[in-house]
Coordinates of all heavy atoms in Angstrom, one line a residue:
A496 N -9.3 11.0 -13.4 CA -9.1 9.5 -13.3 C -8.7 9.0 -12.0 O -9.2 8.0 -11.5 CB -8.1 9.1 -14.4
L497 N -7.9 9.8 -11.3 CA -7.5 9.4 -9.9 C -8.7 9.4 -9.0 O -8.9 8.6 -8.1 CB -6.4 10.3 -9.4 CG -5.0 10.2 -10.0 CD1 -4.1 11.4 -9.6 CD2 -4.4 8.9 -9.5
A498 N -9.6 10.4 -9.2 CA -10.8 10.5 -8.4 C -11.7 9.3 -8.6 O -12.3 8.8 -7.6 CB -11.5 11.8 -8.7
T499 N -11.9 8.9 -9.9 CA -12.7 7.7 -10.2 C -12.1 6.5 -9.5 O -12.8 5.7 -8.9 CB -12.7 7.5 -11.7 OG1 -13.3 8.7 -12.3 CG2 -13.6 6.3 -12.0
M500 N -10.8 6.4 -9.6 CA -10.1 5.2 -8.9 C -10.3 5.2 -7.4 O -10.6 4.2 -6.9 CB -8.6 5.3 -9.2 CG -7.7 4.2 -8.6 SD -7.3 4.5 -6.8 CE -6.4 6.1 -7.0
R501 N -10.2 6.4 -6.8 CA -10.3 6.4 -5.4 C -11.7 6.1 -4.9 O -11.9 5.4 -3.9 CB -9.9 7.8 -4.9 CG -9.9 7.9 -3.3 CD -9.4 9.3 -2.9 NE -9.5 9.5 -1.5 CZ -8.6 9.1 -0.6 NH1 -7.4 8.6 -1.0 NH2 -8.8 9.3 0.7
R502 N -12.7 6.5 -5.7 CA -14.1 6.1 -5.4 C -14.3 4.6 -5.4 O -15.2 4.1 -4.7 CB -15.1 6.9 -6.3 CG -15.3 8.3 -6.0 CD -16.5 8.9 -6.7 NE -16.3 8.9 -8.1 CZ -15.8 9.9 -8.8 NH1 -15.5 11.1 -8.2 NH2 -15.7 9.9 -10.1
A503 N -13.6 4.0 -6.3 CA -13.7 2.5 -6.5 C -12.9 1.7 -5.6 O -12.9 0.5 -5.6 CB -13.4 2.2 -8.0
A504 N -12.1 2.4 -4.7 CA -11.2 1.7 -3.8 C -11.4 2.1 -2.4 O -10.7 3.0 -1.9 CB -9.7 2.0 -4.2
P505 N -12.4 1.5 -1.7 CA -12.7 2.0 -0.4 C -11.6 1.8 0.6 O -11.6 2.5 1.7 CB -13.9 1.1 0.0 CG -13.9 -0.1 -0.9 CD -13.3 0.5 -2.2
A506 N -10.6 1.0 0.3 CA -9.5 0.9 1.2 C -8.7 2.2 1.4 O -8.0 2.4 2.4 CB -8.5 -0.2 0.7
L507 N -8.8 3.1 0.4 CA -8.1 4.4 0.5 C -8.9 5.4 1.4 O -8.2 6.2 2.0 CB -7.9 5.0 -0.9 CG -7.0 4.2 -1.8 CD1 -6.9 4.8 -3.2 CD2 -5.6 4.1 -1.2
S508 N -10.2 5.4 1.4 CA -10.9 6.3 2.3 C -11.0 5.8 3.7 O -11.5 6.5 4.6 CB -12.3 6.6 1.7 OG -13.0 5.4 1.5
D509 N -10.6 4.6 3.9 CA -10.7 4.0 5.2 C -9.7 4.7 6.1 O -8.5 4.9 5.8 CB -10.3 2.5 5.2 CG -10.7 1.7 6.4 OD1 -10.7 2.3 7.5 OD2 -10.9 0.5 6.3
T510 N -10.1 5.1 7.3 CA -9.2 5.8 8.2 C -8.6 5.0 9.3 O -7.9 5.4 10.2 CB -10.0 7.0 8.9 OG1 -11.1 6.5 9.6 CG2 -10.5 8.0 7.8
R511 N -9.0 3.7 9.3 CA -8.4 2.8 10.4 C -6.9 2.5 10.1 O -6.5 2.4 9.0 CB -9.2 1.5 10.4 CG -10.6 1.6 10.9 CD -11.3 0.2 10.7 NE -11.5 -0.1 9.3 CZ -12.1 -1.2 8.8 NH1 -12.7 -2.0 9.7 NH2 -12.2 -1.5 7.5
F512 N -6.2 2.4 11.2 CA -4.8 2.1 11.1 C -4.6 0.7 10.6 O -5.4 -0.2 10.9 CB -4.1 2.3 12.4 CG -4.0 3.8 12.9 CD1 -4.6 4.2 14.1 CD2 -3.4 4.7 12.0 CE1 -4.5 5.5 14.5 CE2 -3.4 6.1 12.4 CZ -3.9 6.4 13.6
L513 N -3.5 0.5 9.8 CA -3.2 -0.8 9.3 C -2.3 -1.6 10.2 O -1.5 -1.0 11.0 CB -2.4 -0.6 7.9 CG -3.2 0.1 6.9 CD1 -2.3 0.6 5.7 CD2 -4.3 -0.7 6.3
S514 N -2.5 -2.9 10.2 CA -1.7 -3.8 11.1 C -0.8 -4.8 10.3 O 0.1 -5.3 11.0 CB -2.7 -4.6 11.9 OG -3.4 -5.5 11.1
G515 N -1.0 -5.0 9.0 CA -0.2 -6.0 8.3 C -0.8 -7.4 8.5 O -0.3 -8.4 8.0
E516 N -1.9 -7.5 9.2 CA -2.6 -8.8 9.5 C -3.9 -8.8 8.7 O -4.5 -7.7 8.5 CB -2.8 -8.9 11.0 CG -1.6 -8.9 11.8 CD -0.6 -10.1 11.5 OE1 -1.2 -11.2 11.1 OE2 0.6 -10.0 11.6
P517 N -4.5 -10.0 8.5 CA -5.8 -10.1 7.8 C -6.9 -9.6 8.8 O -6.9 -9.9 10.0 CB -5.9 -11.6 7.5 CG -4.6 -12.1 7.6 CD -3.8 -11.3 8.6
P518 N -7.8 -8.8 8.3 CA -9.0 -8.4 9.1 C -9.8 -9.6 9.3 O -9.7 -10.7 8.7 CB -9.7 -7.4 8.2 CG -8.8 -7.0 7.1 CD -7.8 -8.2 6.9
V519 N -10.7 -9.5 10.3 CA -11.6 -10.6 10.6 C -12.5 -10.9 9.4 O -13.0 -10.0 8.7 CB -12.6 -10.1 11.8 CG1 -13.6 -11.2 12.0 CG2 -11.8 -9.9 13.0

């Protein structure tokens, strides 16, 4: 179930660092 969730949540596979600000 966790694997299914992760596939549906591209924010988790994203390797970019977070800023706390809205993306463009």
